[in-house]
Amino acid sequence: MAPRMTRPARRIPGARTTSRSAAHRPWTHDSGWAGEARSAASCAVLLSGLLLALDAATGRLGVGRALLWLGLGVLLFAVLTPPRVAAHGTVLVSRGPVRVRSVRLDRLVAVRRSDGIAPRLVLRDTSGGEVVLDPEVLVVNPALWRLVAAGARTSVDDGRLLCGATALRRLAERIDRETAEGVFKASGLE
């Protein structure tokens, strides 16, 4: 019998895998990231276009000002584009415009939730890895949430996760509530 040919798993820089079987699991990505990136690009292009058109209409458009407005558009795109979140086995990776951050979900030591204008969930592992993400990413991506929840359960069972079980429990309750509401709406039982 001929050996079966498989394609090697795609490796994301900064991600660490723990076993040979983990290398063959597919990556789970944030399904809403592409739409948010397109929205950020649209805002950046719109702002740059409006500023260029305004300068052209008033007769003040020059090479320097055009480069300034284009640079402002690029900066706006970098600020508005959210980090891309992906998980693979027990590793959660957040890829921003400048840095790649990763955390081992089965070795979490702290989970913090900071509320405010932009709520954030901060996950920290035993090796000092830290990922900061919008909790909404986990709410709208059940596959990512399942990986985070499974890793957090492992960390709690091993006695590592001493700070943050309450934040995860509240997030789990919110996800369960929104999932139930979605099921009721889809079935017409609202």
Side-chain angles (χ1 to χ4, degrees):
M1 182 178 225
R4 191 171 159 208
M5 298 295 289
T6 59
R7 207 167 68 183
R10 197 173 110 218
R11 180 145 166 55
I12 293 182
R16 301 175 296 259
T17 56
T18 57
S19 68
R20 182 169 168 79
S21 66
H24 296 291
R25 290 186 210 138
W27 282 89
T28 304
H29 295 277
D30 174 11
S31 61
W33 181 84
E36 291 182 28
R38 277 191 301 272
S39 179
S42 298
C43 289
V45 167
L46 183 64
L47 177 69
S48 294
L50 285 174
L51 291 171
L52 288 169
L54 182 64
D55 265 3
T58 59
R60 295 187 299 188
L61 183 62
V63 174
R65 287 179 71 94
L67 290 175
L68 174 71
W69 299 140
L70 292 174
L72 184 64
V74 168
L75 181 64
L76 181 64
F77 175 71
V79 168
L80 291 179
T81 304
R84 187 165 189 181
V85 178
H88 180 263
T90 60
V91 178
L92 182 73
V93 178
S94 173
R95 299 178 77 187
V98 179
R99 288 174 50 163
V100 176
R101 295 179 174 212
S102 66
V103 68
R104 288 278 306 269
L105 296 170
D106 61 340
R107 298 184 184 271
L108 291 175
V109 293
V111 176
R112 285 182 305 140
R113 181 180 168 99
S114 62
D115 290 320
I117 295 173
R120 294 289 176 234
L121 193 64
V122 181
L123 304 152
R124 186 170 292 136
D125 67 8
T126 56
S127 63
E130 181 179 270
V131 169
V132 180
L133 59 101
D134 183 358
E136 196 65 28
V137 169
L138 299 176
V139 171
V140 298
N141 293 288
L144 278 174
W145 167 247
R146 282 191 296 272
L147 291 172
V148 170
R153 268 192 305 275
T154 302
S155 295
V156 168
D157 292 345
D158 292 345
R160 287 189 189 100
L161 184 61
L162 303 174
C163 173
T166 304
L168 287 173
R169 188 176 60 250
R170 286 184 183 154
L171 184 59
E173 290 168 356
R174 178 178 170 212
I175 291 171
D176 290 344
R177 184 176 54 252
E178 290 189 14
T179 301
E181 288 173 1
V183 169
F184 287 142
K185 284 181 184 176
S187 64
L189 297 173
E190 36 178 351

